[in-house]
Amino acid sequence: MPGARAFTAGNLLARLPTGMFSVSAVVMIAGSRGSYALAGAVTATGLAATALAGPWLARLVDRHGQARVALPATVVSVLGSLALLLCVRWEAPDWTLFAGYAGTAATPNIGGLSRARWAHLLRDDPGALHAANAFEQAADELCFMLGPVLASFLTGTFFPEAGTLAGAVLLLAGMVLFTAQRATEPPPRARSKAPSPLRARGVPALLTCCVATGAVFGSMEVVTIACADAWGRRAAAGAVLALQAAGSCAAGLAYGALRPAGPRLTRCLAAMAVLMALPWAAARAGSLLVLAGALLVAGMATAPTMVTVMSLVQRRTPADRLNEGMSLMVTGLLAGIACGSAAGGWATEHLSPVTAFAVPVAAAVSALLVRLASEAVGRVGARRSRPAHRQA
C-alpha cells in the first residue's frame, strides 16, 4: 500500500533497540559496578515503569495523534538512556541509575503504533489485516532475536556503553522516519466517550491470557540460560534462545499467509501448552543441541497466539481507544515476563534447571484454562439472554 514501506522501515529501525536496551544495560552496569544484582534491579525498575506508563501514553496517542505524542516521548526516552550511560561512565551514585533508566519508560509502544496504522488502512479488509498483524508479530520476534546479538557484539567489540548509545540513535532515527509518514497516520480522536478497553467484552480475559503468555516467555528465558550454565555451555544460551524467536518469526509469517476464517485463540493456546512441554522433555536428555531443536519447534506456537490476541483486541476495543487497548496487552506481557522470570529463577534455584522447565508449561496451561473459562462464561451469558430476547 502507498506509504506502507516507509512507515514499516522506520518502525523496524525504532523497534530493534527494544531487544538491545536490557542486554546493553546489564553489560554496562555489571561491567562498571561489578554487580549483576544491581544491573537486574535497574532493568526491572525500567520494565515496571514502562508497564505503568504504557497505557497512559497510548491514550495520549489516541487523543492527539502519533506524531504529536510519540516523537516527543521518544526524545524523553533517548535522554533517559543517555542519562544512564553518563551516570555509569562518571560513576554516579547507584540511585541515579534507577532514575535515568526509569526515563526510558517514555518509549512508545512501537509495535502498537504500527498495528494501529494497519487497522486504519485495512479496516475494510479483514484478511489483509490478519496478514499485516502476523507480519508485525514476526517483526517483533525478529527484533528480539537480532537485538541481543547486536547489543552483545557492540558492547564486546567496542566499549560497554556502545550498545546503549547505538540503541538510542536507532530509536530516535526510526521514530523520526516513522512519524514523518503522515499520510498513513490514523486521525486523532477527541476525548473518547467510550468506556475503558478493560470494560469491553472479553478484554479482561485476553489481558489475563497475555500475562500468562508473558510468564511463558520470561520463565523460558531464565530456565534455558540456567540449564545451559549447568551443562557448562553458558555462552551458547543466547544462540539457543534466538532459535526460539526464529521459530516464532517463521510461524508468524506462515500464519499470516494462511488467513483463517476467524480468530481461533483456544486452538493457539492449546498448541502452545502442548509444544511448551517439548523443551522440558528435551532437557531430560541432557543435550543442548536437542534442547535447541525443541525450542525452535516450541517457539512456533507463540507468534500465532499473539497475532490472534491482537486481532481480537482490535475487534473488541473502540476505534478511538485502539492504541490504549493494545498497550494494555503489552503491559500484561511485561508483567507476565517479570513474574515468569521470578518464578523460573526460584524453580531453578530450589528445584533444578531441568525441573524448572515445568514453569513455562504451567504458565501456558494457565492461559488455556483462562480462555476456556472465559468461553464457558460467554456461553452461559448467551443462553440466559435468549429467553429475554424472545419474550421481548
Side-chain angles (χ1 to χ4, degrees), residues 61-66 68 185-190:
V61 170
D62 284 327
R63 188 177 303 171
H64 302 290
Q66 293 185 352
R68 291 183 62 187
E185 180 179 350
R189 312 274 182 165

Side-chain angles (χ1 to χ4, degrees), residues 1 118-133 259:
M1 298 188 67
W118 288 120
H120 170 65
L121 296 173
L122 303 173
R123 56 190 177 276
D124 298 324
D125 190 347
L129 181 57
H130 168 79
N133 283 331
R259 299 192 181 188

Side-chain angles (χ1 to χ4, degrees), residues 38-297:
L38 175 61
V42 170
T43 54
T45 300
L47 187 67
T50 300
L52 292 174
W56 174 76
L57 189 61
R59 189 179 306 168
L60 292 178
V61 170
D62 284 327
R63 188 177 303 171
H64 302 290
Q66 293 185 352
R68 291 183 62 187
V69 176
L71 188 56
T74 300
V75 172
V76 173
S77 176
V78 168
L79 291 176
S81 295
L82 295 179
L84 174 66
L85 186 153
L86 294 175
C87 289
V88 172
R89 191 73 172 179
W90 291 346
E91 299 183 355
D94 289 349
W95 67 266
T96 62
L97 307 183
F98 292 90
Y101 202 64
T104 62
T107 305
N109 176 12
I110 305 166
L113 296 177
S114 189
R115 288 179 176 92
R117 292 201 179 207
W118 288 120
H120 170 65
L121 296 173
L122 303 173
R123 56 190 177 276
D124 298 324
D125 190 347
L129 181 57
H130 168 79
N133 283 331
F135 169 77
E136 291 296 327
Q137 188 61 39
D140 276 341
E141 301 296 342
L142 182 66
C143 291
F144 279 112
M145 180 173 62
L146 297 180
V149 175
L150 179 59
S152 299
F153 170 77
L154 292 173
T155 55
T157 304
F158 299 101
F159 47 92
E161 298 85 0
T164 299
L165 184 60
V169 172
L170 287 172
L171 175 61
L172 184 58
M175 191 56 72
V176 168
L177 177 58
F178 178 81
T179 54
Q181 314 308 313
R182 303 299 291 270
T184 55
E185 180 179 350
R189 312 274 182 165
R191 182 182 294 271
S192 176
K193 296 181 180 179
S196 167
L198 282 174
R199 297 175 62 184
R201 182 178 61 86
V203 170
L206 289 175
L207 180 60
T208 307
C209 286
C210 280
V211 173
T213 303
V216 173
F217 301 156
S219 58
M220 187 66 78
E221 180 176 353
V222 171
V223 172
T224 299
I225 293 173
C227 201
D229 194 13
W231 292 341
R233 303 290 298 277
R234 175 70 168 77
V240 172
L241 288 170
L243 284 175
Q244 182 184 1
S248 184
C249 179
L253 294 176
Y255 189 64
L258 289 175
R259 299 192 181 188
R264 300 180 178 181
L265 183 57
T266 304
R267 294 184 182 182
C268 292
L269 291 172
M272 185 170 67
V274 172
L275 292 181
M276 286 302 155
L278 292 179
W280 189 9
R284 295 177 178 274
S287 169
L288 191 62
L289 185 62
V290 175
L291 178 59
L295 285 172
L296 176 66
V297 177

